[in-house]
Amino acid sequence: MPHIDCYFATMSPYTYLCGLRPADIARKHGATIIYKPLDIMALFARTGGVPPKDRHPNRQAYRLQDLERRAKVAGLPLNVKPAFWPTNPAPSSFAIIAAQNTGADVGGLVHAITRACWAEDRDISQDDVIRDCLKAEGFDPALVDRDMMTSADTYAQNLEHAVLAGAFGAPFFITDTDARFWGEDRLTDLDLHLSGKI
């Protein structure tokens, strides 16, 4: 059975623009998928990336255009300058880890949390927002407070694993055969790879 590790950040617009496609692709190919939220700024620092605010103006302008285009392609609403961004991604990441530890599919939860930031102008560092997302996706809202030390450890380990596995951005998909796909716009390539076409 194929496997996919999905390294992502809850405050990443490109993670939001994935929608439910990573889970759909995994299901299509009978693959397992593990969502691994991480600190994207720390990943940038470790792998030569630059936070958006520190990029050259040309890169910043391109990013805004690209986000608008990718949102249209994905058919998703997007505020390219959300009210609560950047924000602390740790609380929402901890909740996703706790939910995944129940054995449930968390693809919908990842999308709900990223949508809250990028389409609903909600602060995903706040417990009430995270609880709403958990409840909407059928999870116990109390997961926001459950096993926080375990979640914090996993969150830190995800960063280390990402660096060792070769990831440098988000979302970043790595298969069990070490095929690597960076970005929402490479999901089609991931699908084709799992189909044996590329």
Side-chain angles (χ1 to χ4, degrees), residues 141-153:
L143 282 171
V144 78
D145 299 315
R146 193 168 301 157
D147 299 327
M148 292 186 73
M149 290 300 295
T150 298
S151 294
D153 287 345

Side-chain angles (χ1 to χ4, degrees), residues 91-121:
S92 56
S93 298
F94 292 0
I96 290 168
I97 292 166
Q100 188 162 242
N101 285 343
T102 69
D105 178 1
V106 296
L109 178 61
V110 170
H111 184 57
I113 288 172
T114 56
R115 181 180 63 233
C117 176
W118 290 96
E120 298 170 358
D121 279 335

Side-chain angles (χ1 to χ4, degrees), residues 19-89:
L20 300 174
R21 286 178 291 158
D24 292 343
I25 290 169
R27 204 165 21 254
K28 173 181 175 182
H29 297 285
T32 55
I33 184 167
I34 299 294
Y35 293 87
K36 297 190 171 189
L38 49 72
D39 181 340
I40 189 63
M41 296 307 169
L43 183 64
F44 285 159
R46 296 274 297 274
T47 59
V50 178
K53 69 179 181 61
D54 298 329
R55 294 173 189 166
H56 188 278
N58 292 1
R59 290 179 179 265
Q60 292 186 33
Y62 179 83
R63 176 180 174 275
L64 295 179
Q65 285 191 11
D66 187 56
L67 283 172
E68 290 177 348
R69 285 192 294 262
R70 297 309 307 166
K72 288 177 182 175
V73 170
L76 293 171
L78 175 75
N79 178 358
V80 296
K81 295 184 178 180
F84 299 99
W85 186 90
T87 191
N88 180 4

